[in-house]
Amino acid sequence: MFNENLKSIRKQKGFTQEDLAIKVNVVRQTVSKWEKGLSVPDAVTLQKIAEVLEVSVGELLGADVKEEDRNELAEQLARINEQLAIRNRRWSRFWKVFGRVVLVIVLVWLILIVGGIISFKALTFQQMEPVEVEEIQYEEE
Protein backbone atom coordinates (compact mmCIF):
# COMPACT_ATOMS: atom_id res chain seq x y z
CA MET A 1 0.00 0.00 0.00
CA PHE A 2 2.75 2.48 0.97
CA ASN A 3 4.71 1.68 -2.18
CA GLU A 4 1.74 2.37 -4.46
CA ASN A 5 0.84 5.58 -2.62
CA LEU A 6 4.42 6.84 -2.73
CA LYS A 7 4.71 6.23 -6.46
CA SER A 8 1.38 7.87 -7.37
CA ILE A 9 1.87 10.90 -5.06
CA ARG A 10 5.45 11.38 -6.30
CA LYS A 11 4.25 11.37 -9.91
CA GLN A 12 1.31 13.69 -9.12
CA LYS A 13 3.73 16.18 -7.58
CA GLY A 14 5.97 15.97 -10.66
CA PHE A 15 8.99 14.45 -8.93
CA THR A 16 11.25 11.87 -10.50
CA GLN A 17 12.73 9.16 -8.29
CA GLU A 18 16.02 11.03 -8.52
CA ASP A 19 14.41 14.33 -7.42
CA LEU A 20 12.82 12.71 -4.40
CA ALA A 21 15.98 10.83 -3.53
CA ILE A 22 18.04 14.04 -3.50
CA LYS A 23 15.52 15.87 -1.31
CA VAL A 24 15.34 12.94 1.16
CA ASN A 25 19.13 12.33 1.11
CA VAL A 26 19.03 8.78 -0.25
CA VAL A 27 20.07 7.25 -3.56
CA ARG A 28 17.59 6.80 -6.40
CA GLN A 29 17.77 3.01 -6.03
CA THR A 30 16.37 3.35 -2.49
CA VAL A 31 13.30 5.19 -3.77
CA SER A 32 12.92 2.49 -6.42
CA LYS A 33 13.02 -0.22 -3.74
CA TRP A 34 10.37 1.61 -1.71
CA GLU A 35 8.12 1.87 -4.75
CA LYS A 36 8.60 -1.80 -5.61
CA GLY A 37 7.79 -2.79 -2.03
CA LEU A 38 11.24 -4.32 -1.49
CA SER A 39 11.98 -2.10 1.50
CA VAL A 40 10.42 0.65 3.57
CA PRO A 41 11.82 3.86 5.00
CA ASP A 42 12.33 4.34 8.71
CA ALA A 43 9.99 6.66 10.62
CA VAL A 44 12.24 9.73 10.31
CA THR A 45 12.67 9.27 6.56
CA LEU A 46 8.93 8.62 6.17
CA GLN A 47 8.25 11.98 7.82
CA LYS A 48 10.78 13.68 5.54
CA ILE A 49 9.16 12.12 2.45
CA ALA A 50 5.77 13.41 3.60
CA GLU A 51 7.21 16.92 4.05
CA VAL A 52 8.89 16.92 0.62
CA LEU A 53 5.73 15.69 -1.09
CA GLU A 54 3.59 18.05 1.04
CA VAL A 55 1.28 15.29 2.27
CA SER A 56 0.67 13.70 5.65
CA VAL A 57 2.31 10.47 6.73
CA GLY A 58 -1.20 9.07 6.96
CA GLU A 59 -1.76 9.86 3.30
CA LEU A 60 1.46 8.04 2.38
CA LEU A 61 0.41 5.06 4.43
CA GLY A 62 -3.16 5.25 3.12
CA ALA A 63 -5.53 8.04 4.23
CA ASP A 64 -8.53 5.73 4.25
CA VAL A 65 -6.87 3.46 6.80
CA LYS A 66 -8.55 3.33 10.21
CA GLU A 67 -6.62 4.46 13.30
CA GLU A 68 -6.10 0.91 14.59
CA ASP A 69 -4.94 -0.16 11.13
CA ARG A 70 -2.48 2.74 11.07
CA ASN A 71 -1.00 1.50 14.33
CA GLU A 72 -0.73 -1.97 12.84
CA LEU A 73 0.94 -0.54 9.73
CA ALA A 74 3.39 1.38 11.90
CA GLU A 75 4.20 -1.81 13.81
CA GLN A 76 4.67 -3.70 10.55
CA LEU A 77 7.01 -0.97 9.27
CA ALA A 78 8.98 -1.21 12.49
CA ARG A 79 9.23 -5.02 12.20
CA ILE A 80 10.29 -4.82 8.56
CA ASN A 81 12.91 -2.20 9.40
CA GLU A 82 14.26 -4.40 12.19
CA GLN A 83 14.41 -7.42 9.87
CA LEU A 84 16.24 -5.36 7.24
CA ALA A 85 18.68 -4.08 9.87
CA ILE A 86 19.37 -7.65 11.05
CA ARG A 87 19.92 -8.79 7.45
CA ASN A 88 22.25 -5.87 6.79
CA ARG A 89 24.26 -6.66 9.95
CA ARG A 90 24.58 -10.30 8.84
CA TRP A 91 25.79 -9.31 5.39
CA SER A 92 28.18 -6.82 6.92
CA ARG A 93 29.64 -9.55 9.15
CA PHE A 94 29.84 -11.92 6.19
CA TRP A 95 31.82 -9.44 4.09
CA LYS A 96 34.16 -8.63 6.98
CA VAL A 97 34.92 -12.32 7.52
CA PHE A 98 35.22 -12.90 3.78
CA GLY A 99 37.65 -10.00 3.45
CA ARG A 100 39.77 -11.28 6.31
CA VAL A 101 39.90 -14.79 4.85
CA VAL A 102 40.96 -13.42 1.46
CA LEU A 103 43.62 -11.26 3.14
CA VAL A 104 45.01 -14.25 5.05
CA ILE A 105 45.09 -16.36 1.88
CA VAL A 106 46.94 -13.62 -0.01
CA LEU A 107 49.44 -13.17 2.85
CA VAL A 108 50.11 -16.91 3.11
CA TRP A 109 50.52 -17.09 -0.66
CA LEU A 110 53.00 -14.19 -0.61
CA ILE A 111 54.93 -15.76 2.26
CA LEU A 112 55.14 -19.06 0.38
CA ILE A 113 56.29 -17.34 -2.79
CA VAL A 114 58.90 -15.21 -1.03
CA GLY A 115 60.00 -18.17 1.08
CA GLY A 116 60.19 -20.33 -2.03
CA ILE A 117 62.33 -17.80 -3.87
CA ILE A 118 64.71 -17.42 -0.96
CA SER A 119 65.05 -21.17 -0.43
CA PHE A 120 65.47 -21.70 -4.18
CA LYS A 121 68.32 -19.19 -4.27
CA ALA A 122 69.92 -20.75 -1.20
CA LEU A 123 69.57 -24.20 -2.74
CA THR A 124 71.06 -23.02 -6.02
CA PHE A 125 74.12 -21.50 -4.31
CA GLN A 126 74.65 -24.61 -2.18
CA GLN A 127 74.67 -26.90 -5.21
CA MET A 128 77.27 -24.89 -7.08
CA GLU A 129 80.70 -26.43 -6.95
CA PRO A 130 83.71 -24.23 -6.75
CA VAL A 131 85.54 -23.85 -10.01
CA GLU A 132 89.26 -24.35 -10.01
CA VAL A 133 91.13 -21.70 -11.81
CA GLU A 134 94.31 -22.75 -13.51
CA GLU A 135 97.24 -20.51 -13.23
CA ILE A 136 98.31 -19.17 -16.51
CA GLN A 137 101.97 -18.68 -16.83
CA TYR A 138 103.27 -16.15 -19.24
CA GLU A 139 106.58 -16.66 -20.80
CA GLU A 140 108.83 -13.76 -20.69
CA GLU A 141 110.58 -12.78 -23.87
Side-chain angles (χ1 to χ4, degrees), residues 103-113:
L103 181 64
V104 167
I105 289 170
V106 168
L107 288 175
V108 167
W109 181 72
L110 286 173
I111 289 169
L112 290 174
I113 287 177

Side-chain angles (χ1 to χ4, degrees), residues 1-2 4-5 9 56-70 73:
M1 179 178 288
F2 164 74
E4 296 163 358
N5 292 341
I9 293 170
S56 68
V57 172
E59 207 172 329
L60 280 173
L61 295 175
D64 58 342
V65 178
K66 299 175 188 167
E67 185 62 34
E68 57 272 3
D69 290 340
R70 286 185 189 167
L73 278 174

Side-chain angles (χ1 to χ4, degrees), residues 83-100:
Q83 290 170 353
L84 289 172
I86 290 169
R87 186 182 67 172
N88 288 340
R89 283 192 299 267
R90 285 181 184 156
W91 274 108
S92 178
R93 276 189 236 132
F94 167 79
W95 286 113
K96 283 180 184 176
V97 169
F98 180 77
R100 289 177 183 155

